Amino acid sequence: MDWMAWTLPTAIFFATIAALLVIFTILAIRFPETPRRGILRIETTRGDRLFITLLGSAFINLAWLGVVEAYQPYALIVCLVYAAAVFRWV
Amino acid sequence: MADLTMEAPRSRLRINSSAVVMGLYLLFLMMPIYWLVNMSLKTNQEILSTFSLWPRNLTLQNYVTILTDPSWYMGYVNSLIYVVMNTVISVAVALPAAYAFSRYHFMGDKHLFFWLLTNRMAPPAVFALPFFQLYSSVGLFDTHVAVALAHCLFNVPLAVWILEGFMRGVPREIDETAYIDGYSFGRFFVKIFMPLIASGIGVAAFFCFMFSWVELLLSRTLTSVAAKPIAATMTRTVSASGLDWGVLAAAGVLTIVPGALVIWFVRNYIAKGFALGRV
Amino acid sequence: MDKTVNHKAWFLVLPVLALVAFSAVIPLMTVVNYSVQDTFGNNQFFWAGLEWFDELLHSERMWDALGRQLAFSAIILAIEVPLGIFVALHMPKRGVWASFCLVLMSLPLLIPWNVVGTIWQIFGRVDIGLLGHTLDKLGIAYNYTQDSLAAWITVIVMDVWHWTSLVALLAYAGLQSIPDAYYQAARIDQASRWKVFRYIELPKMAGVLMIAILLRFMDSFMIYTEPFVVTGGGPGNATTFLSIDLVKMALGQFDLGPAAAFSLMYFLVILLISWVFYTVMTNLDKREGV
């Protein structure tokens, strides 16, 4: 495991993603998903929206780093807004 | 009848223009390959001294060099070993998975299917470095197993997608009848289902073989001496000193042979295989 | 296409899951770990935060490679897709000649990528290659190892040679699915060749063409072996595409941190395109299912 060079922040990062996956799996068992059509005109389920959120957040963070160049954690606020928007309208 | 006679001259004209287009296109495709074969049949001296469209002194010396020199022919042996290993592993694990995807809905099936696709699409360049670290740390560096497993990254997803494409064409009623007749899943799968999708298995195996055979980056990164593939042997010869064009060309011709041998059998499935079974 | 719900099917997927997790998830996690650290050899790692991402996002090196990559993908798509359709329209519909064309066209697709490079490396050389020699005799200055334009043209022609057949074969498969009745109807209506193409053939090919375009885009986006063998990324950096640059960084200089950050960003783009690809494909499947 040495060669993988774990650090605490990356461990937390992966733990968060794993936790999200577990939560969404439990949600999917408790409240079965029904696909719907949003503004993207494609059918999405809750899991799809999670994926769109995570992928979009990655790009938002990169854009923040490359273009806005402000304090990085603020980007997470943008991501939360984006996440809410995705889950509401996509 | 009148319709036919009217049609004849026009269609013949069209066939002719098609023949010209196809002729030119095939000429464009074949020319570089012909040149490679041409080179492989010349001596290095002839290649460098005279420019000729066909070999003046036909020689098989280049092929003899490759087939008698272990540093050359072991490249083919190494490649074949890991390619065959990879093909067997990929198809074996992909068969049940593809069946599950083609027949059942289960929790997260779509996401799993998508995740497999991302691995087929992943650039080997991204994985080269971590693979190198991973296989070095577990002591598999420079072994055939390492390359075979590394190629599973894109070949397992490929096999799953192709097999799923073939399996969805088989009516579900066959499964149900077999289960009613008292077949267990295992027996049904091997005795009835696999013969039905035999061509699909063949196509999947062919594509796994091919994508593993043509890959250079991962196989070169994960090997140094003992399992060095032919592709790496070729590039290293170029960079070192060996501007022995004749031998290089002959080595190239020999790598085309496996594909050329089976091409006739898969000709109708090439499009389907590349399109991940979706055509 | 009505599938039964059966969560036990998970057991059938487990082997694949285990294998791909081993060969995809662990390396990706490693890449994430490396991307936030600095190393001075021998597995001594130091926390670097987002420094590498910051550096790469502001470095010309990556943007230039990305620009070249996009230009390359755009050019080969612009050539291969129309050419592929054009060839498919002229392929014999059935009989021995159809098989003959299929076999010959498939041949370049099955050649190992490094050999494709070798073929064009030899073919394009002024002293011993047919193409290079002919151009030279015609008085056209052409040297792909020194002139970046010539290098670009060589790499593009090579890719066209290598992959146009794939587009053609896919388009051909789409054409084969058109019933003869459609053509007869068009003949009765005295539709022009263009109208037949526009209103009968193109809509029927749309699905497979979409697949072909996405496949070609993906594969050209991660092209490594062929240009590496022919030009080695040169002259200078003229044909250094994303993968070539990444390998240079990761395995040539062994800069684990920057290479990992580069890999991650590269992979994110790939994820995005894969998602588009998947969405398009499932929608196509649905349309066919109706």
Side-chain angles (χ1 to χ4, degrees):
Chain A
M1 290 293 274
D2 238 14
W3 63 276
M4 282 181 82
W6 281 100
T7 61
L8 187 64
T10 49
I12 294 172
F13 172 73
F14 283 115
T16 315
I17 290 189
L20 273 175
L21 287 179
V22 171
I23 291 170
F24 272 76
T25 311
I26 295 171
L27 276 178
I29 295 170
R30 286 284 182 79
F31 313 98
E33 301 177 316
T34 41
R36 68 158 196 237
R37 256 165 207 275
I39 45 166
L40 282 180
R41 311 282 300 281
I42 50 167
E43 279 192 356
T44 54
T45 60
R46 213 180 295 133
D48 297 332
R49 292 195 281 277
L50 176 67
F51 174 76
I52 297 172
T53 305
L54 289 180
L55 186 61
S57 301
F59 279 106
I60 290 174
N61 269 297
L62 283 181
W64 195 270
L65 191 61
V67 184
V68 187
E69 299 180 49
Y71 185 52
Q72 193 63 26
Y74 288 152
L76 294 178
I77 299 171
V78 182
C79 290
L80 283 179
V81 175
Y82 170 74
V86 167
F87 276 91
R88 176 67 190 81
W89 285 299
V90 170
Chain B
M1 254 336 256
D3 195 46
L4 266 181
T5 46
M6 250 173 60
E7 210 47 50
R10 213 171 85 198
S11 71
R12 183 152 15 110
L13 202 70
R14 253 186 71 190
I15 286 168
N16 282 343
S17 77
S18 296
V20 170
V21 170
M22 282 316 291
L24 285 175
Y25 181 65
L26 291 179
L27 189 71
F28 166 63
L29 290 188
M30 287 307 119
M31 200 81 94
I33 299 179
Y34 167 73
W35 200 249
L36 188 76
V37 176
N38 178 17
M39 286 279 151
S40 75
L41 295 171
K42 291 178 180 178
T43 60
N44 209 35
Q45 206 182 5
E46 188 187 342
I47 292 173
L48 293 174
S49 60
T50 50
F51 187 87
S52 56
L53 289 175
W54 58 88
R56 296 281 155 77
N57 310 308
L58 198 71
T59 172
L60 289 174
Q61 193 52 49
N62 297 322
Y63 291 94
V64 173
T65 306
I66 288 174
L67 295 176
T68 53
D69 180 356
S71 70
W72 272 108
Y73 70 71
M74 278 317 284
Y76 290 98
V77 176
N78 289 332
S79 289
L80 275 176
I81 292 174
Y82 72 70
V83 166
V84 169
M85 270 162 69
N86 171 268
T87 307
V88 172
I89 298 174
S90 301
V91 175
V93 299
L95 269 171
Y99 182 78
F101 282 119
S102 75
R103 290 297 189 261
Y104 303 119
H105 271 307
F106 49 95
M107 181 77 59
D109 53 351
K110 295 209 180 81
H111 302 124
L112 209 54
F113 208 46
F114 166 69
W115 179 55
L116 286 177
L117 178 77
T118 62
N119 289 315
R120 155 66 181 80
M121 300 301 191
V126 167
F127 286 89
L129 176 66
F131 273 166
F132 176 76
Q133 302 280 71
L134 168 63
Y135 288 110
S136 302
S137 76
V138 294
L140 282 176
F141 179 73
D142 201 19
T143 59
H144 303 101
V145 188
V147 185
L149 284 177
H151 283 179
C152 282
L153 172 72
F154 46 83
N155 269 353
V156 168
L158 180 80
V160 172
W161 272 70
I162 292 179
L163 286 170
E164 199 269 345
F166 276 92
M167 285 179 185
R168 66 162 68 188
V170 179
R172 296 180 50 88
E173 286 72 28
I174 293 174
D175 309 31
E176 279 147 20
T177 324
Y179 293 141
I180 292 168
D181 288 351
Y183 275 87
S184 68
F185 172 73
R187 229 162 72 82
F188 154 75
F189 198 81
V190 176
K191 292 263 175 191
I192 299 177
F193 198 68
M194 278 175 52
L196 277 177
I197 52 153
S199 57
I201 296 175
V203 172
F206 169 76
F207 273 89
C208 287
F209 187 93
M210 203 204 58
F211 275 108
S212 183
W213 182 252
V214 301
E215 208 279 336
L216 167 77
L217 179 54
L218 291 178
S219 58
R220 192 190 56 182
T221 308
L222 294 177
T223 58
S224 62
V225 185
K228 188 164 146 187
I230 182 62
T233 313
M234 282 179 71
T235 51
R236 279 175 198 180
T237 313
V238 178
S239 54
S241 65
L243 289 180
D244 195 345
W245 295 104
V247 176
L248 185 68
V253 172
L254 286 177
T255 62
I256 303 177
V257 170
L261 281 180
V262 285
I263 204 168
W264 179 260
F265 304 104
V266 291
R267 65 183 187 281
N268 293 318
Y269 295 110
I270 296 270
K272 198 176 169 91
F274 272 104
L276 303 165
R278 309 287 116 174
V279 170
Chain C
M1 259 288 125
D2 46 336
K3 302 182 195 172
T4 44
V5 177
N6 179 356
H7 293 300
K8 285 206 200 92
W10 258 102
F11 289 108
L12 297 174
V13 191
L14 271 181
V16 163
L17 207 62
L19 195 59
V20 181
F22 178 71
S23 58
V25 175
I26 292 180
L28 270 183
M29 284 180 154
T30 312
V31 167
V32 173
N33 288 341
Y34 286 170
S35 72
V36 291
Q37 298 182 77
D38 197 359
T39 174
F40 302 108
N42 259 340
N43 285 337
Q44 296 244 328
F45 287 96
F46 302 92
W47 175 254
L50 294 171
E51 196 184 306
W52 302 127
F53 291 94
D54 201 22
E55 195 178 299
L56 277 171
L57 283 170
H58 292 103
S59 77
E60 273 177 22
R61 177 175 176 177
M62 192 189 74
W63 291 112
D64 285 354
L66 181 66
R68 283 191 289 267
Q69 184 68 68
L70 287 174
F72 175 74
S73 293
I75 292 173
I76 62 117
L77 276 180
I79 298 175
E80 286 174 16
V81 173
L83 183 62
I85 296 174
F86 182 72
V87 169
L89 288 173
H90 288 89
M91 274 177 75
K93 291 272 182 292
R94 49 188 70 85
V96 187
W97 283 110
S99 299
F100 178 75
C101 289
L102 278 178
V103 166
L104 284 190
M105 283 168 64
S106 310
L107 197 54
L109 300 173
L110 308 181
I111 295 178
W113 298 340
N114 70 305
V115 178
V116 170
T118 307
I119 288 177
W120 282 88
Q121 190 190 20
I122 293 178
F123 198 60
R125 279 182 71 98
V126 175
D127 51 348
I128 59 171
L130 183 60
L131 178 71
H133 195 79
T134 312
L135 287 177
D136 193 49
K137 279 274 137 49
L138 290 173
I140 300 167
Y142 168 86
N143 185 341
Y144 66 80
T145 53
Q146 264 148 46
D147 177 23
S148 26
L149 182 66
W152 264 83
I153 292 174
T154 311
V155 174
I156 285 167
V157 172
M158 174 174 68
D159 201 79
V160 168
W161 176 82
H162 191 183
W163 289 112
T164 303
S165 293
L166 178 62
V167 182
L169 289 176
L170 284 172
Y172 180 68
L175 286 175
Q176 292 288 70
S177 69
I178 303 175
D180 277 341
Y182 282 43
Y183 290 110
Q184 281 159 17
R187 209 175 296 144
I188 290 167
D189 289 346
Q190 300 204 314
S192 65
R193 186 73 195 83
W194 166 250
K195 284 246 168 77
V196 170
F197 175 71
R198 174 69 190 79
Y199 294 104
I200 298 178
E201 290 169 336
L202 199 57
K204 273 280 173 186
M205 277 193 291
V208 277
L209 272 184
M210 203 61 210
I211 294 178
I213 290 171
L214 283 166
L215 268 181
R216 277 317 300 134
F217 182 74
M218 290 302 292
D219 286 343
S220 67
F221 203 74
M222 56 198 215
I223 191 167
Y224 170 80
T225 311
E226 301 95 314
F228 172 76
V229 171
V230 175
T231 63
N237 277 329
T239 52
T240 301
F241 302 123
L242 282 177
S243 276
I244 298 181
D245 206 17
L246 177 54
V247 172
K248 229 183 249 175
M249 207 186 267
L251 299 170
Q253 305 157 355
F254 227 69
D255 283 339
L256 297 190
F262 192 147
S263 300
L264 267 188
M265 290 190 265
Y266 195 178
F267 193 71
L268 281 176
V269 176
I270 296 282
L271 261 185
L272 180 67
I273 308 167
S274 300
W275 182 73
V276 172
F277 188 104
Y278 182 74
T279 310
V280 167
M281 266 201 186
T282 42
N283 281 354
L284 283 176
D285 284 354
K286 238 173 251 158
R287 214 193 300 159
E288 261 160 41
V290 171

